[in-house]
Amino acid sequence: MLNKVFIMGRLTRDPELRRTQSGTAVTSFSLAVDRDFKSQSGEKETDFIDVVAWRSTAEFVAKYFSKGRMAVVEGRLQIRDWKDKDGNNRRSAEVIADNIYFGDSKRDGAGSDFAPAYGAPDRGYSSPVGGYAAPMGGADHFAEIDEEDGDLPF
């Protein structure tokens, strides 16, 4: 069985960081995701998708994301059945986030030009503080291409 979802959109509100009774961090937020096509009236439609992140992923989202920020979420679709206050049966669909990445650069010129990305717990990624360095050995390890032969090496 396969249940894998990738969505990219803008946060519709600031993430809410909460803790379960056992102290586990959980963050919920919603992404506005534009559809790839226009409706019959010629307007682009938008889906508002609920996302839930747990543990260190939840803490990461609450710390670095805010309303309007572009996010890329990789996760799984989960359907929950629940009862409303009137006792009616309800159903909700939400994405349980495994990995969350920045979909834009940090705004307002604050911080580094390199935005960190974050994977599932115990799989964090971030760019070096000073940016990226040239590969070890420098440019002198590249081979010259003989232009007379006319064939490209690929």
Side-chain angles (χ1 to χ4, degrees):
M1 302 295 163
L2 179 65
N3 183 355
K4 194 70 151 176
V5 175
F6 292 88
I7 57 174
M8 179 174 169
R10 295 200 179 273
L11 274 75
T12 61
R13 57 185 160 83
D14 289 339
E16 303 171 26
L17 178 63
R18 301 178 313 277
R19 301 246 176 220
T20 64
Q21 289 180 348
S22 63
T24 304
V26 59
T27 300
S28 59
F29 57 96
S30 182
L31 286 184
V33 179
D34 290 336
R35 294 185 182 175
D36 290 338
F37 54 89
K38 294 181 179 179
S39 66
Q40 288 182 347
S41 64
E43 301 213 9
K44 269 213 167 186
E45 294 184 8
T46 303
D47 293 306
F48 298 91
I49 302 172
D50 293 328
V51 180
V52 178
W54 291 89
R55 298 173 188 77
S56 55
T57 307
E59 293 170 350
F60 173 79
V61 171
K63 183 175 181 181
Y64 292 107
F65 285 85
S66 59
K67 180 180 178 178
R69 194 78 198 261
M70 182 76 71
V72 179
V73 176
E74 174 188 357
R76 62 185 171 83
L77 185 63
Q78 177 175 288
I79 308 298
R80 285 188 308 117
D81 294 319
W82 52 282
K83 289 191 184 287
D84 65 13
K85 64 180 179 179
D86 298 325
N88 298 317
N89 290 331
R90 307 289 293 200
R91 178 171 267 200
S92 296
E94 58 195 8
V95 173
I96 307 300
D98 293 326
N99 299 312
I100 300 176
Y101 307 94
F102 288 110
D104 59 4
S105 60
K106 190 152 184 138
R107 290 182 278 168
D108 303 326
S112 169
D113 290 337
F114 297 98
Y118 185 81
D122 301 325
R123 254 183 45 205
Y125 308 99
S126 64
S127 55
V129 175
Y132 291 98
M136 302 230 357
D140 57 331
H141 284 98
F142 290 103
E144 284 290 324
I145 297 174
D146 185 11
E147 294 180 21
E148 292 179 26
D149 133 7
D151 289 331
L152 294 176
F154 48 87

